[in-house]
Amino acid sequence: MNETPGFFRLDDVKRGEALEIKVDGKAIPAFAGETVATALLAAGLLSCQSHDDRALGVFCNIGQCCSCLMTIDGVSGVRACQTLVSPGLVVESRRLQKRGSRP
Amino acid sequence: MTHRFQAAVVGMGPAGMAAAIELARAGVKIALIDQAPLPGGQVYRQPPGEFSMPPGLAPSRHNIGHALRRELAQAGSSLTFLNGAVVWGAFSPGTLSVHQTGRNYEVSYEKLVICEGAQERIIPCPGWTLPGVISLGGLQKMITTQGIAPRGRVLLAGSGPLLIGTAAAVVGAGASLVGVYEAVSFTSLMSLGLGMMAWPRLLPESFSYMSELIFKGVKVHFNWGLKTLSGDDRVREATLVRLDGSGAPIPGSERIVPVDVVGIGSGLQPHVRLARLIGCRTEYDPDRRYFAPVTDTWGQSSQTGVYIAGDGGGVGGADWSEVQGRISGLHASWSLNRMGCDQLGSFSSRWLRSKRRLQAYVNALHRVFTPKDGHYSSITPETVICRCEAVRAGDLMARMKMGEQDLTALKPSRLAMGPCQGRGCEGIATEMLRLHDVPRENLKALHLRPPIIPMPLSAFSKHTERVSGSRS
């Protein structure tokens, strides 16, 4: 298979207006009505944040698990699966370090 | 600022829509609140307004969702929609703190109907947090409401109606499946058919899913489960294993499959957040393996004037939730003196009858699909239990061996200390405690604090303005 595995937009779906969002400095295509999570997956970007070396991506897709928290338009800790795309939206992955546990 | 209502309904799924319909028809001034832009909840979630989906993608029962939405739209002018609104706190009795598109306000109520719905039950295995591993429901909604489908080698594993429903959605979208692995046996699945006779409305849906799979040549492997998932920056490989009657893996039966996208999930459990914040009592149900609020026939919780309806009160599916929502909505209208005892009796008798019939099916569903002890064998010491804080099972096991006996005592590991406040890990850690043979009365849900949903600091901007103002 030549195409990157991940997600693809289904052909026979009518979407909103085509636009672009910026993810970690790179422009990716999106359509009005999509969530940030959808645009990421369709661009082959599966990871939203990392804790030390461990990457986390979209998991529950209904706003519960907080696995897709990203920095969106400068606000940290926003759920990508609950945020709709808009032209020029600036999205950044989060890099966190694990806090220590207590005995 | 406080907006006053006689009743508030939180959640716009089938339960919330049904409760709101009954309250609005009785002329009660109500607010219907949900973070989603459109009514429907997860089960009847609609594609965004900008989208138009081909008919083949619509789930088979979406017509029921449409009917409910129509009924809601015509229910009466006493209904206020607060959509795109997050309920994040409840600081004094009878009020909710709401954040809606950059505004903060309070909603006051005399009666509250909480319809928080369900969340997926996940049984972890090593590697389950890798990118590319998505919950079954999440994957299904990506396809049916956002119009994207997984590409490459897609594998689904777990248990319950969502496994088959998601498999049908994946192949329906033209994507290919390398395998569907159901943890329970074929015979126990067939015994569900009898339970369905009590509520035949579900038969066409099940039939359409099964025929879609058979038509597309997808084989469902029964008595199989995930042992491990592995990869680097994304999932690459799944190790599956045959399970015996107790759900335990049969050594030597492993099968390794290369994968690109994996869907996992082992049924649903009540999503009980606002109800717990308000102080409604919950209990651990050992037969269903989850925490559920304590409610009576009408859905009344341990807190006066607070009802809990739908899957958030105990999982039963969309029809069950709608029926519960009607019953709670009618009772709340009666308790606000909007109808007499006679009317409550005559309006509710039909729904109470439906509830009794549905009960047989719901019980069968839980009997067949509730995980058995053996299914938790996939949790090894290195398995991550808390996604947010990367707490591993080994850490929790060591603490249990040292004598820790409940969830609160496990919190120094940082269990449930992340942004999701234990939504993911609380249920899993509870099962670990149970399998460690702690006394049943120690299985108690954690205490929750606001905000119950991650909120940006800017949501409290008034407060931050005052703080920064005082410094200058």
Side-chain angles (χ1 to χ4, degrees), chain B residues 47-88:
Chain B
E50 296 90 340
F51 276 42
S52 120
M53 307 295 256
L57 268 190
S60 66
R61 296 171 83 246
H62 76 129
N63 54 328
I64 300 171
H66 283 318
L68 264 176
R69 279 190 287 267
R70 256 198 314 277
E71 217 183 324
L72 185 66
Q74 294 158 2
S77 55
S78 62
L79 172 71
T80 304
F81 277 108
L82 299 176
N83 47 357
V86 174
V87 178
W88 61 273

Side-chain angles (χ1 to χ4, degrees), chain B residues 441-458:
Chain B
E441 62 269 22
N442 284 21
L443 302 180
K444 282 201 197 92
L446 286 165
H447 185 70
L448 297 183
R449 288 181 184 80
I452 50 172
I453 276 180
M455 297 277 285
L457 274 176
S458 56

Side-chain angles (χ1 to χ4, degrees), chain A residues 1 3-10 12-16 31-35 37-38 41-42 44 46-47 51 54-67 69 75-77 79 82 94 98-103, chain B residues 35 42 45 48 50-54 57 118-119 122 128-129 131-135 138-139 141-143 146-152 173 234 260-261 264 271 384 387-390 395 399 412-414 419-420 423 453-454 456:
Chain A
M1 197 170 301
E3 291 153 316
T4 0
F7 285 76
F8 66 100
R9 289 188 175 85
L10 294 165
D12 38 4
V13 175
K14 233 186 261 145
R15 300 181 168 76
F31 294 87
E34 288 183 346
T35 65
T38 298
L41 292 178
L46 298 190
S47 161
H51 288 214
R54 194 177 59 107
L56 288 175
V58 179
F59 183 69
C60 82
N61 193 26
I62 60 170
Q64 291 177 346
C65 77
C66 298
S67 210
L69 296 186
V75 181
S76 167
R79 296 171 294 176
Q82 298 292 302
R94 300 201 315 162
K98 183 169 158 53
R99 284 159 283 202
S101 59
R102 287 190 285 120
Chain B
Q35 62 181 341
Q42 294 310 330
R45 188 155 131 197
E50 296 90 340
F51 276 42
S52 120
M53 307 295 256
L57 268 190
Q119 65 175 89
I122 302 294
W128 74 286
T129 63
V133 183
I134 296 186
S135 78
L139 188 56
K141 294 297 167 220
M142 273 299 177
I143 299 167
Q146 289 275 298
I148 62 168
R151 169 160 51 203
R234 58 183 299 168
D260 296 304
V261 174
I264 59 170
H271 182 234
V384 170
R387 290 173 80 87
C388 299
E389 296 290 319
D395 186 351
R399 286 167 198 270
S413 66
R414 295 205 60 81
C420 89
R423 276 180 178 82
I453 276 180

Side-chain angles (χ1 to χ4, degrees), chain B residues 424-443:
Chain B
C425 61
E426 189 180 44
I428 308 164
T430 301
E431 294 310 323
M432 290 180 65
L433 283 164
R434 172 176 168 169
L435 295 170
H436 194 72
D437 286 328
V438 308
R440 201 52 59 84
E441 62 269 22
N442 284 21
L443 302 180

Side-chain angles (χ1 to χ4, degrees), chain B residues 280-316:
Chain B
C280 302
R281 203 156 67 80
T282 61
E283 264 176 12
Y284 178 73
D285 183 335
D287 298 324
R288 296 186 174 186
R289 296 192 106 117
Y290 58 54
F291 290 105
V294 180
T295 54
D296 69 5
T297 314
W298 303 101
Q300 295 183 97
S301 72
S302 64
Q303 294 288 319
T304 314
V306 179
Y307 298 77
I308 299 167
D311 279 352
V315 172

